[in-house]
Amino acid sequence: MKNTFYITTPIYYPSRKFTLGNCYTTVICDAVARYNKMKGKEVFFLTGTDEHGQKISNNAKAAGKSEKEYLDEIIADAKELWKLLDIDYDKFIRTTDDYHVKAIQKIFKELYDKGYIYKGAYKGLYCVPCESFWTESQLKDGCCPDCGRPVIAQEEEAYFFKLSAFTDKLLKLYKENPEFLEPQTRVNEMVNNFLKPGLSDLCVSRTSVKWGIPVDFDPAHTVYVWIDALFNYMTALGFKSDDETLLNKFWPADVHIIGKEIVRFHAIIWPALLMALDLPLPKRIFGHGWMLFGGDKLSKSKTVDSKECVDPRILAPRYSSDSVRYILLREIPFGSDGNYSTEAFLTRFNADLVNNYGNLVSRTFSMLKKYNNSIIPELGELEQIDKNLFEMVDQEIKNVDRYMENFDVSKSLISIFNIFTSANKYIEATEPFRLAKAPDKKGRLDTILRCLLEVIRKGSLLLYPYLPNCTTTVLSAFEIDPKEAKFNDLDKFSLKAGEIVHSIPMLFPRLDIQKEMEELSKLAE
Ligand code: MSP
């Protein structure tokens, strides 16, 4: 069986600095990638930027910069942001990369030679100062949504892709492969809104957009948006280059994780383009919901400096990258939209990270220090309450595995934190602090401490893909490197009696929520 796992984020538009919304998909992909590594798979995790189009060119001009200068600054900031959030990607593709540009030209030509691309005329509403075409629905009060000036009806020569030829093939694809597009609600949207009414051909070149990949056999045209953007998932692996080793190893992708607004492009245009070239299709596409900020998706219209938008560049250094990852992964139910609020972020921080996980670790380690000089004790005979705890842990490990098959990071975290809640309750129920006062109960005390240490080890390994920092710290107390850990390690009791548990710094400080709210709103001004 193929033991590789190829996962991708969308390539984001660097038309402005990335927001917490962009972090949402990227952090999910990072957690899923790390999880699959732990499952023993050879993982390739791709992210990147979608750099062509008039909007980028206009933004650069407005900033008094060349496109390249403008983009380089935003991409440097994006890479810093991924570092800040511990995003462990394998490759960052930029659609302005030379190898991508060359590959796209070859792909466009091949589609043309096969008769899937033909020349026609594009009719649209054009904003002259912005040099941009808009559709009726994109207009704001009948004017250009970017500059607010009037638009004119205009026509230009353009190439088209024969998307209309693929309606039946796509319906068949969805029917025969229920996993291809998830959640199921997205399939219904595609079928009812686009496939049943019948697909129209797609405009794939422009003469009015200069900032794009030139069509090499007709240089007045540049490749327009989706052929350039979607094929990144393959060109990043060397498709149409001299070296297709990675492509042969990792294509087809195991999953493209994307926001729901671009499902249409990934679930309709992308498979149609691949079918036209007789190429294997991605195995799964997952269209997640939006993280809403005061009811707004906020990804396109506002800047990171606006008050409502919380900047991950402020949050991560102040509260840790793990805490930002936690709110992103935990707060939004599987596949639906969910709200972000600063208050929810701070409340979860205290309730889950400080009072639950942090508290379990610090209580256990300090009891171990006090009652056993930080030495891992022997495991005595297990009582029913100990067995119940481990049965519960094992059940939650199975649940996490089942949820992660479907990229349900939020439910996985609920399961993992159930483990910590149960372990804290186990401390209350077994009262090790009381046993410590009775010398004849030392054996039982040792067993309880040992059980707690094993639960901390298992729970921290399980939590590592989601929160890599704090778990690495906790596991370092046992000299365990989670990067090397495998999922099967979770089956065992693997600590060794007699070994020392090193002391570690406090994981998360308790926050004064009111005070933090005030400070953050000052910073966001
Ligand atoms: N460039 C295209 C994608 C091409 S992929 C071949 C694009 N870029 S984008 O910059 O607009 O990024 C959109 C993506 O960012 C969404 O699909 C989603 O993954 C992520 N998100 C941006 N804001 C978001 C939220 N508020 N909530 C959840 N995801 C969000 O579209």
Side-chain angles (χ1 to χ4, degrees):
M1 208 177 97
K2 212 171 150 225
N3 204 32
T4 54
F5 186 81
Y6 179 32
I7 180 168
T8 66
T9 71
I11 45 169
Y12 304 107
Y13 289 126
S15 44
R16 45 146 180 69
K17 282 187 175 183
F18 291 5
T19 63
L20 200 54
N22 301 120
C23 299
Y24 178 64
T25 320
T26 314
V27 170
I28 293 181
C29 288
D30 186 68
V32 174
R34 287 176 190 264
Y35 188 83
N36 278 278
K37 264 183 216 162
M38 231 170 76
K39 294 280 293 184
K41 300 228 169 112
E42 192 179 344
V43 172
F44 197 91
F45 168 19
L46 177 73
T47 191
T49 39
D50 189 358
E51 305 193 0
H52 293 119
Q54 201 56 44
K55 184 157 186 175
I56 304 261
S57 191
N58 293 350
N59 287 5
K61 231 179 261 164
K65 292 178 182 149
S66 72
E67 284 92 353
K68 172 102 177 85
E69 265 175 319
Y70 178 80
L71 286 166
D72 283 354
E73 269 172 36
I74 294 192
I75 275 63
D77 179 78
K79 287 186 175 170
E80 274 305 307
L81 180 60
W82 298 154
K83 213 190 272 168
L84 195 63
L85 292 178
D86 295 292
I87 307 298
D88 193 13
Y89 57 79
D90 293 288
K91 181 158 181 151
F92 191 110
I93 184 172
R94 298 180 56 172
T95 54
T96 49
D97 286 337
D98 207 33
Y99 68 87
H100 176 79
V101 171
K102 286 195 181 116
I104 293 302
Q105 289 177 325
K106 287 185 194 161
I107 292 163
F108 197 95
K109 179 81 173 35
E110 202 172 314
L111 285 164
Y112 180 76
D113 289 343
K114 287 195 159 175
Y116 282 108
I117 283 181
Y118 64 90
K119 208 180 234 183
Y122 177 79
K123 293 189 193 94
L125 300 160
Y126 190 66
C127 173
V128 182
C130 293
E131 299 175 19
S132 299
F133 273 101
W134 302 103
T135 61
E136 193 75 50
S137 64
Q138 287 172 320
L139 299 182
K140 242 191 218 152
D141 304 324
C143 294
C144 168
D146 267 4
C147 72
R149 279 178 275 210
V151 290
I152 50 166
Q154 189 154 308
E155 192 175 311
E156 70 177 31
E157 183 186 271
Y159 286 96
F160 285 81
F161 171 65
K162 278 191 187 159
L163 187 60
S164 56
F166 292 89
T167 310
D168 291 341
K169 285 186 186 140
L170 290 166
L171 283 168
K172 187 163 172 263
L173 167 72
Y174 295 165
K175 202 161 170 203
E176 288 173 0
N177 301 279
E179 280 209 325
F180 178 72
L181 174 60
E182 291 162 305
Q184 181 61 34
T185 47
R186 310 267 180 253
V187 178
N188 303 340
E189 284 163 19
M190 292 305 115
V191 172
N192 296 329
N193 301 347
F194 304 109
L195 295 177
K196 282 209 179 132
L199 296 168
S200 320
D201 288 350
L202 179 76
C203 177
V204 289
S205 86
R206 285 296 163 84
T207 52
S208 57
V209 178
K210 297 287 168 247
W211 182 245
I213 299 177
V215 173
D216 53 0
F217 59 89
D218 193 353
H221 289 256
T222 55
V223 179
Y224 184 65
V225 193
W226 290 102
I227 290 186
D228 175 6
L230 289 162
F231 273 101
N232 92 86
Y233 299 130
M234 292 180 79
T235 62
L237 300 180
F239 181 50
K240 299 284 175 201
S241 78
D242 299 339
D243 184 1
E244 294 194 338
T245 321
L246 281 175
L247 184 82
N248 294 333
K249 187 164 179 180
F250 289 103
W251 191 258
D254 290 83
V255 63
H256 297 312
I257 298 205
I258 54 171
K260 63 180 182 181
E261 81 290 4
I262 52 174
V263 164
R264 186 179 143 208
F265 308 105
H266 284 78
I268 293 181
I269 300 176
W270 184 217
L273 286 167
L274 292 168
M275 285 172 183
L277 294 177
D278 290 319
L279 291 165
L281 309 186
K283 290 184 210 154
R284 297 170 80 180
I285 294 169
F286 185 79
H288 64 65
W290 288 336
M291 178 161 244
L292 300 172
F293 304 82
D296 188 356
K297 178 178 167 253
L298 207 147
S299 91
K300 294 212 164 121
S301 50
K302 295 184 187 153
T303 73
V304 279
D305 310 315
S306 80
K307 199 168 161 162
E308 305 90 320
C309 177
V310 186
D311 190 344
R313 298 161 194 82
I314 293 176
L315 294 179
R318 196 174 168 99
Y319 303 108
S320 76
S321 117
D322 283 339
S323 68
V324 177
R325 291 172 66 106
Y326 185 68
I327 192 77
L328 293 173
L329 295 169
R330 171 67 182 81
E331 199 62 21
I332 302 194
F334 184 53
S336 3
D337 294 349
N339 284 307
Y340 176 89
S341 79
T342 305
E343 194 168 357
F345 169 70
L346 298 170
T347 305
R348 283 218 181 275
F349 185 100
N350 271 354
D352 299 354
L353 302 180
V354 179
N355 295 346
N356 198 352
Y357 182 51
N359 188 35
L360 172 67
V361 173
S362 75
R363 269 162 115 187
T364 305
F365 284 12
S366 82
M367 287 193 290
L368 186 74
K369 188 168 181 193
K370 209 153 143 200
Y371 308 141
N372 213 40
N373 289 323
S374 296
I375 305 290
I376 299 175
E378 292 287 348
L379 188 69
E381 200 167 315
L382 294 183
E383 293 190 1
Q384 195 53 45
I385 191 168
D386 314 330
K387 289 183 191 155
N388 291 349
L389 177 66
F390 283 103
E391 258 168 41
M392 182 273 169
V393 171
D394 291 341
Q395 186 51 50
E396 291 297 14
I397 292 173
K398 283 195 194 113
N399 291 343
V400 169
D401 204 33
R402 196 158 41 83
Y403 295 139
M404 285 307 269
E405 274 295 307
N406 293 315
F407 319 112
D408 193 342
V409 286
S410 174
K411 280 220 181 96
S412 305
L413 281 171
I414 295 175
S415 279
I416 299 170
F417 277 76
N418 272 344
I419 295 178
F420 303 137
T421 306
S422 300
N424 275 316
K425 283 196 186 138
Y426 171 86
I427 298 181
E428 303 308 327
T430 56
E431 301 185 310
F433 28 86
R434 209 147 47 167
L435 297 175
K437 294 191 186 121
D440 60 325
K441 295 284 197 285
K442 179 73 170 93
R444 179 68 193 135
L445 174 64
D446 280 354
T447 300
I448 291 167
L449 290 175
R450 177 64 185 277
C451 286
L452 284 167
L453 293 173
E454 293 287 358
V455 172
I456 290 175
R457 182 188 67 87
K458 287 187 183 210
S460 301
L461 282 174
L462 199 59
L463 184 59
Y464 165 76
Y466 313 82
L467 310 186
N469 267 301
C470 58
T471 49
T472 299
T473 304
V474 172
L475 291 161
S476 73
F478 306 120
E479 293 184 14
I480 294 173
D481 178 2
K483 270 203 158 143
E484 304 299 318
K486 292 285 162 271
F487 195 79
N488 295 344
D489 298 343
L490 296 170
D491 289 347
K492 303 169 227 153
F493 271 41
S494 74
L495 296 173
K496 291 202 177 66
E499 286 189 353
I500 191 142
V501 172
H502 303 286
S503 61
I504 55 166
M506 183 173 57
L507 297 180
F508 301 99
R510 184 166 286 107
L511 302 173
D512 176 339
I513 295 185
Q514 209 43 48
K515 192 172 136 255
E516 293 303 323
M517 293 278 284
E518 281 160 24
E519 297 271 316
L520 279 178
S521 70
K522 268 188 239 153
L523 286 172
E525 264 162 26

